[in-house]
Amino acid sequence: DARVTQTPRHKVTEMGQEVTMRCQPILGHNTVFWYRQTMMQGLELLAYFRNRAPLDDSGMPKDRFSAEMPDATLATLKIQPSEPRDSAVYFCASGPDGYQPQHFGDGTRLSIL
Amino acid sequence: QKEVEQNSGPLSVPEGAIASLNCTYSDRGSQSFFWYRQYSGKSPELIMSIYSNGDKEDGRFTAQLNKASQYVSLLIRDSQPSDSATYLCAVPMDSSYKLIFGSGTRLLVRP
């Protein structure tokens, strides 16, 4: 089965450090999404790409978060500087074009001390 | 503000019973609807997609869609303890590829 691959699976770091999360979407999928999940807020969409072009990043704190897709096989989400309130599980999902469902990676569990 | 509403639960049913999970959405133009299952500590997993009014069955799962009333439901027949999870309803927003997720209904199946 094709899967979305995310790395790292877990990350613990100190406040102020840069955090980079990576995602390899399913081959052939041309939409890629970044979500953040917390107990309080549920699943929040941070950013999404179509054919590697960013379409919407309105869910992201622009001053510290950035999302890029340098090629079709890699999407990145960076936080610089990180803060304790960024602690959450970050999911990447990909989907084929059209109104088709997204498939999620296993997530990165991020803890900022 | 486009919304997807679900009862947070928990919905507790005995093993073997039918579990009924409901979801309402605000965007009357929505054309596709998805149910995801999320076990604790895991990622959401797609279990059902439905695009037209009526019922769609897949094994023990049946999705029901009523666009006029703007609700979609998920029935789980012969519920098993392994079905205990949070079920998320997701609807595309504004004819885009963005999915709006409900907050999820936690299902607990008692042995």
Side-chain angles (χ1 to χ4, degrees):
Chain A
D1 270 349
R3 296 177 58 85
V4 175
T5 303
Q6 287 187 250
T7 56
R9 291 292 310 280
H10 303 273
K11 177 75 175 179
V12 180
T13 192
E14 293 187 345
M15 181 174 66
Q17 296 298 303
E18 178 177 301
V19 174
T20 298
M21 291 169 273
R22 293 178 174 81
C23 168
Q24 180 177 4
I26 292 172
L27 188 65
H29 283 187
N30 62 348
T31 56
V32 175
F33 304 80
W34 283 105
Y35 293 91
R36 176 171 63 185
Q37 188 174 41
T38 62
M39 289 294 293
M40 294 300 295
Q41 299 295 328
L43 263 175
E44 301 175 272
L45 178 66
L46 297 176
Y48 84 103
F49 297 79
R50 181 170 180 259
N51 294 328
R52 296 177 53 206
L55 290 192
D56 189 339
D57 61 2
S58 59
M60 266 187 350
K62 300 287 193 307
D63 57 337
R64 299 184 300 109
F65 284 60
S66 62
E68 295 180 346
M69 201 162 174
D71 63 59
T73 65
L74 177 64
T76 62
L77 180 66
K78 291 185 180 180
I79 308 174
Q80 170 63 20
S82 58
E83 297 181 2
R85 60 180 166 150
D86 301 329
S87 298
V89 181
Y90 290 79
F91 289 109
C92 175
S94 71
D97 218 349
Y99 301 115
Q100 299 297 318
Q102 302 164 18
H103 298 268
F104 283 75
D106 290 335
T108 294
R109 189 171 296 273
L110 177 64
S111 296
I112 308 296
L113 306 177
Chain B
Q1 177 80 7
K2 307 297 181 182
E3 292 185 343
V4 177
E5 302 281 348
Q6 294 182 257
N7 188 319
S8 62
L11 172 65
S12 181
V13 301
E15 184 174 355
I18 296 175
S20 177
L21 305 161
N22 299 313
C23 170
T24 59
Y25 59 93
S26 62
D27 185 357
R28 190 170 285 278
S30 296
Q31 297 296 318
S32 49
F33 307 85
F34 309 111
W35 282 100
Y36 287 80
R37 176 177 62 198
Q38 187 174 24
Y39 292 113
S40 181
K42 301 294 186 182
S43 60
E45 173 193 11
L46 177 73
I47 54 172
M48 288 288 281
S49 307
I50 187 165
Y51 301 94
S52 55
N53 275 333
D55 295 0
K56 178 183 177 183
E57 189 173 314
D58 184 359
R60 294 186 297 110
F61 298 100
T62 299
Q64 298 176 320
L65 174 61
N66 184 323
K67 290 184 180 179
S69 301
Q70 294 176 246
Y71 83 79
V72 56
S73 61
L74 180 70
L75 302 179
I76 306 175
R77 290 184 300 282
D78 187 23
S79 295
Q80 301 296 309
S82 58
D83 295 325
S84 298
T86 296
Y87 290 80
L88 299 162
C89 173
V91 183
M93 170 180 165
D94 290 333
S95 302
S96 76
Y97 304 120
K98 292 169 61 170
L99 285 183
I100 302 299
F101 282 84
S103 57
T105 298
R106 192 158 74 91
L107 173 66
L108 182 63
V109 181
R110 308 186 305 271

mmCIF file of all heavy atoms in Angstrom, chain B residues 71-89:
data_model
loop_
_atom_site.group_PDB
_atom_site.id
_atom_site.type_symbol
_atom_site.label_atom_id
_atom_site.label_comp_id
_atom_site.label_asym_id
_atom_site.label_seq_id
_atom_site.Cartn_x
_atom_site.Cartn_y
_atom_site.Cartn_z
ATOM 1 N N TYR B 71 -26.916 16.606 6.125
ATOM 2 C CA TYR B 71 -26.291 15.739 7.106
ATOM 3 C C TYR B 71 -25.780 14.475 6.450
ATOM 4 O O TYR B 71 -26.269 14.023 5.421
ATOM 5 C CB TYR B 71 -27.220 15.426 8.289
ATOM 6 C CG TYR B 71 -28.207 14.308 8.068
ATOM 7 C CD1 TYR B 71 -27.811 12.973 8.169
ATOM 8 C CD2 TYR B 71 -29.541 14.574 7.800
ATOM 9 C CE1 TYR B 71 -28.713 11.947 7.979
ATOM 10 C CE2 TYR B 71 -30.441 13.547 7.613
ATOM 11 C CZ TYR B 71 -30.034 12.245 7.699
ATOM 12 O OH TYR B 71 -30.929 11.237 7.512
ATOM 13 N N VAL B 72 -24.753 13.943 7.073
ATOM 14 C CA VAL B 72 -24.184 12.672 6.648
ATOM 15 C C VAL B 72 -23.973 11.835 7.909
ATOM 16 O O VAL B 72 -23.593 12.369 8.955
ATOM 17 C CB VAL B 72 -22.871 12.882 5.857
ATOM 18 C CG1 VAL B 72 -21.858 13.680 6.645
ATOM 19 C CG2 VAL B 72 -22.293 11.577 5.390
ATOM 20 N N SER B 73 -24.285 10.566 7.813
ATOM 21 C CA SER B 73 -24.147 9.702 8.979
ATOM 22 C C SER B 73 -23.336 8.462 8.636
ATOM 23 O O SER B 73 -23.162 8.113 7.465
ATOM 24 C CB SER B 73 -25.522 9.321 9.535
ATOM 25 O OG SER B 73 -26.254 8.611 8.571
ATOM 26 N N LEU B 74 -22.835 7.838 9.663
ATOM 27 C CA LEU B 74 -22.080 6.595 9.530
ATOM 28 C C LEU B 74 -22.681 5.580 10.486
ATOM 29 O O LEU B 74 -22.794 5.838 11.686
ATOM 30 C CB LEU B 74 -20.606 6.811 9.864
ATOM 31 C CG LEU B 74 -19.700 5.577 9.768
ATOM 32 C CD1 LEU B 74 -19.532 5.159 8.308
ATOM 33 C CD2 LEU B 74 -18.341 5.855 10.401
ATOM 34 N N LEU B 75 -23.099 4.443 9.928
ATOM 35 C CA LEU B 75 -23.608 3.352 10.749
ATOM 36 C C LEU B 75 -22.567 2.238 10.776
ATOM 37 O O LEU B 75 -22.004 1.885 9.739
ATOM 38 C CB LEU B 75 -24.914 2.800 10.176
ATOM 39 C CG LEU B 75 -26.076 3.782 10.022
ATOM 40 C CD1 LEU B 75 -27.282 3.071 9.409
ATOM 41 C CD2 LEU B 75 -26.439 4.382 11.363
ATOM 42 N N ILE B 76 -22.318 1.718 11.960
ATOM 43 C CA ILE B 76 -21.417 0.581 12.119
ATOM 44 C C ILE B 76 -22.239 -0.563 12.680
ATOM 45 O O ILE B 76 -22.726 -0.504 13.820
ATOM 46 C CB ILE B 76 -20.238 0.909 13.058
ATOM 47 C CG1 ILE B 76 -19.509 2.178 12.583
ATOM 48 C CG2 ILE B 76 -19.261 -0.276 13.107
ATOM 49 C CD1 ILE B 76 -18.403 2.636 13.528
ATOM 50 N N ARG B 77 -22.434 -1.586 11.871
ATOM 51 C CA ARG B 77 -23.213 -2.749 12.308
ATOM 52 C C ARG B 77 -22.311 -3.722 13.053
ATOM 53 O O ARG B 77 -21.094 -3.776 12.812
ATOM 54 C CB ARG B 77 -23.838 -3.452 11.107
ATOM 55 C CG ARG B 77 -24.957 -2.671 10.444
ATOM 56 C CD ARG B 77 -25.574 -3.501 9.306
ATOM 57 N NE ARG B 77 -24.565 -3.824 8.299
ATOM 58 C CZ ARG B 77 -24.150 -2.970 7.386
ATOM 59 N NH1 ARG B 77 -24.627 -1.744 7.352
ATOM 60 N NH2 ARG B 77 -23.238 -3.340 6.510
ATOM 61 N N ASP B 78 -22.925 -4.518 13.940
ATOM 62 C CA ASP B 78 -22.179 -5.533 14.685
ATOM 63 C C ASP B 78 -20.895 -4.913 15.267
ATOM 64 O O ASP B 78 -19.771 -5.395 15.022
ATOM 65 C CB ASP B 78 -21.826 -6.711 13.764
ATOM 66 C CG ASP B 78 -21.210 -7.883 14.499
ATOM 67 O OD1 ASP B 78 -21.444 -8.002 15.725
ATOM 68 O OD2 ASP B 78 -20.473 -8.667 13.865
ATOM 69 N N SER B 79 -21.068 -3.847 16.023
ATOM 70 C CA SER B 79 -19.906 -3.109 16.569
ATOM 71 C C SER B 79 -19.002 -4.029 17.373
ATOM 72 O O SER B 79 -19.464 -4.899 18.130
ATOM 73 C CB SER B 79 -20.403 -1.972 17.471
ATOM 74 O OG SER B 79 -21.111 -1.019 16.731
ATOM 75 N N GLN B 80 -17.712 -3.815 17.217
ATOM 76 C CA GLN B 80 -16.701 -4.590 17.925
ATOM 77 C C GLN B 80 -15.867 -3.666 18.812
ATOM 78 O O GLN B 80 -15.712 -2.481 18.497
ATOM 79 C CB GLN B 80 -15.782 -5.283 16.910
ATOM 80 C CG GLN B 80 -16.500 -6.218 15.948
ATOM 81 C CD GLN B 80 -17.125 -7.381 16.689
ATOM 82 O OE1 GLN B 80 -16.493 -8.078 17.478
ATOM 83 N NE2 GLN B 80 -18.418 -7.596 16.438
ATOM 84 N N PRO B 81 -15.296 -4.206 19.883
ATOM 85 C CA PRO B 81 -14.425 -3.354 20.722
ATOM 86 C C PRO B 81 -13.318 -2.681 19.905
ATOM 87 O O PRO B 81 -12.897 -1.572 20.229
ATOM 88 C CB PRO B 81 -13.867 -4.335 21.750
ATOM 89 C CG PRO B 81 -14.947 -5.366 21.892
ATOM 90 C CD PRO B 81 -15.524 -5.519 20.509
ATOM 91 N N SER B 82 -12.876 -3.325 18.836
ATOM 92 C CA SER B 82 -11.827 -2.741 17.993
ATOM 93 C C SER B 82 -12.316 -1.531 17.199
ATOM 94 O O SER B 82 -11.514 -0.812 16.598
ATOM 95 C CB SER B 82 -11.270 -3.786 17.029
ATOM 96 O OG SER B 82 -12.307 -4.306 16.212
ATOM 97 N N ASP B 83 -13.635 -1.300 17.195
ATOM 98 C CA ASP B 83 -14.175 -0.100 16.544
ATOM 99 C C ASP B 83 -14.081 1.121 17.453
ATOM 100 O O ASP B 83 -14.369 2.242 17.021
ATOM 101 C CB ASP B 83 -15.650 -0.308 16.156
ATOM 102 C CG ASP B 83 -15.839 -1.387 15.104
ATOM 103 O OD1 ASP B 83 -14.970 -1.525 14.221
ATOM 104 O OD2 ASP B 83 -16.865 -2.107 15.181
ATOM 105 N N SER B 84 -13.710 0.920 18.699
ATOM 106 C CA SER B 84 -13.585 2.038 19.634
ATOM 107 C C SER B 84 -12.496 2.987 19.145
ATOM 108 O O SER B 84 -11.319 2.609 19.034
ATOM 109 C CB SER B 84 -13.242 1.531 21.039
ATOM 110 O OG SER B 84 -14.268 0.698 21.531
ATOM 111 N N ALA B 85 -12.887 4.198 18.833
ATOM 112 C CA ALA B 85 -11.989 5.188 18.229
ATOM 113 C C ALA B 85 -12.754 6.502 18.134
ATOM 114 O O ALA B 85 -13.930 6.579 18.496
ATOM 115 C CB ALA B 85 -11.541 4.742 16.832
ATOM 116 N N THR B 86 -12.092 7.517 17.616
ATOM 117 C CA THR B 86 -12.767 8.774 17.290
ATOM 118 C C THR B 86 -13.038 8.800 15.799
ATOM 119 O O THR B 86 -12.155 8.492 14.995
ATOM 120 C CB THR B 86 -11.902 9.981 17.701
ATOM 121 O OG1 THR B 86 -11.734 9.984 19.121
ATOM 122 C CG2 THR B 86 -12.578 11.291 17.295
ATOM 123 N N TYR B 87 -14.270 9.144 15.434
ATOM 124 C CA TYR B 87 -14.674 9.176 14.034
ATOM 125 C C TYR B 87 -14.848 10.632 13.606
ATOM 126 O O TYR B 87 -15.617 11.389 14.209
ATOM 127 C CB TYR B 87 -15.960 8.370 13.839
ATOM 128 C CG TYR B 87 -15.695 6.898 14.004
ATOM 129 C CD1 TYR B 87 -15.600 6.334 15.278
ATOM 130 C CD2 TYR B 87 -15.474 6.072 12.902
ATOM 131 C CE1 TYR B 87 -15.307 4.982 15.438
ATOM 132 C CE2 TYR B 87 -15.187 4.729 13.059
ATOM 133 C CZ TYR B 87 -15.099 4.194 14.326
ATOM 134 O OH TYR B 87 -14.797 2.860 14.485
ATOM 135 N N LEU B 88 -14.123 10.994 12.558
ATOM 136 C CA LEU B 88 -14.092 12.370 12.065
ATOM 137 C C LEU B 88 -14.836 12.464 10.747
ATOM 138 O O LEU B 88 -14.586 11.689 9.822
ATOM 139 C CB LEU B 88 -12.646 12.821 11.850
ATOM 140 C CG LEU B 88 -11.730 12.829 13.074
ATOM 141 C CD1 LEU B 88 -10.272 12.853 12.653
ATOM 142 C CD2 LEU B 88 -12.038 14.030 13.940
ATOM 143 N N CYS B 89 -15.733 13.430 10.678
ATOM 144 C CA CYS B 89 -16.435 13.738 9.439
ATOM 145 C C CYS B 89 -15.663 14.866 8.749
ATOM 146 O O CYS B 89 -15.207 15.802 9.420
ATOM 147 C CB CYS B 89 -17.855 14.172 9.795
ATOM 148 S SG CYS B 89 -18.861 14.781 8.439
#
